[in-house]
Amino acid sequence: MAKTLRTSGDYTITTGTGASGSNTVFLDTKTTRVQGDLVVDGTRTELNTATMSIEDQFIEVNRGNSTADSEDSGIFFNRGTSNHGLLYWDAGDDEFQLGTSTNAPSVTAITNMTLGNLAIAEPAQSDHAATKSYVDTTSASTIQIAGDDSSVVSIGGSTDTLQLLGGTNISNTTVVGADSITFNLNNDLTGITSITSDASNGNLTLATNGTGDVVINDTLTFSAAASDPTATSVTKIYNKTVGGGGTGLFFINSAVSSGTAGELISKSKATALAIALG
């Protein structure tokens, strides 16, 4: 028999001492329907159902927060005896995090987080996240270098080649390891006015390929040396104050004259010496 209870004001059902007590109101029925709003003012709400269906398009968590993004909030996933799964907004780092945590759902801030993996599909447009497979196998992309003769750097492809185009000095570079790039100078260097070593007191070595020679087509200028360099098994040529040879161009080698410096003699000095020695 259907029955309707109507009151002209609020209707209160209190068991025992109310919310502070230990009594319970049971509704034993197949369906309980609330026509108006349902407000629960307790500290915990449990739904012991197998399936929950929500008509709302959006779910709001941390509704009571009125501060400017200072509270963590998210969703815990019960994994039995394993650490909870967790998707939450990290207010401190201003980012979403996904993983597992030993924190309980009752905490007000996440203090323990082990980041987890997220399986996603291959990206279909520019604002999609990329999978590792996509990054590893993606085709070449192009980077424009400003201020370098409008050179273009092409990166990627199955050959792992980085190529610089548009200049006459550097032809291409080839990746030879995970953290190294080798530059191949396939063209002559042009427009170079100075080559220096960045190592303190370091040598600057010009080496040819195989049996080739280092060729100097123009004037080679020597700065005056304050003293003789140290004699080694390699012949060193240098300039200092002109001596008896009349050239000021000296050489030193530990295997020649017991490492004593010698001066190259000029033509006029050699001629005068030959006449004198008749």
Side-chain angles (χ1 to χ4, degrees), residues 55-77:
E55 184 177 344
D56 297 314
Q57 292 179 262
F58 302 99
I59 299 175
E60 179 185 9
V61 297
N62 201 26
R63 179 176 178 271
N65 180 26
S66 60
T67 58
D69 196 23
S70 61
E71 297 182 0
D72 297 343
S73 58
I75 301 175
F76 277 84
F77 302 91

Side-chain angles (χ1 to χ4, degrees), residues 202-267:
N203 294 329
L204 180 63
T205 302
L206 299 179
T208 62
N209 188 357
T211 58
D213 297 323
V214 176
V215 179
I216 300 174
N217 293 325
D218 296 300
T219 302
L220 183 62
T221 302
F222 292 87
S223 298
S227 60
D228 295 324
T230 302
T232 65
S233 60
V234 177
T235 299
K236 299 177 182 179
I237 300 176
Y238 57 98
N239 166 251
K240 68 175 186 177
T241 303
V242 176
T247 62
L249 189 61
F250 290 76
F251 70 94
I252 191 169
N253 188 306
S254 59
V256 179
S257 300
S258 300
T260 301
E263 183 181 11
L264 299 181
I265 190 169
S266 68
K267 180 179 179 181

Side-chain angles (χ1 to χ4, degrees), residues 149-173:
D149 299 330
S150 299
S151 303
V152 175
V153 182
S154 299
I155 304 174
S158 59
T159 58
D160 290 329
T161 298
L162 175 65
Q163 189 171 22
L164 307 180
L165 304 175
T168 59
N169 293 332
I170 298 179
S171 173
N172 63 73
T173 63

Side-chain angles (χ1 to χ4, degrees), residues 27-47:
L27 298 177
D28 187 2
T29 179
K30 178 180 179 182
T31 303
T32 299
R33 185 180 299 274
V34 179
Q35 297 286 2
D37 295 335
L38 176 63
V39 178
V40 179
D41 291 326
T43 58
R44 183 180 181 88
T45 301
E46 293 186 10
L47 297 177

Side-chain angles (χ1 to χ4, degrees), residues 6-23:
R6 185 185 302 274
T7 67
S8 59
D10 294 339
Y11 184 78
T12 301
I13 299 176
T14 302
T15 62
T17 57
S20 62
S22 59
N23 300 97

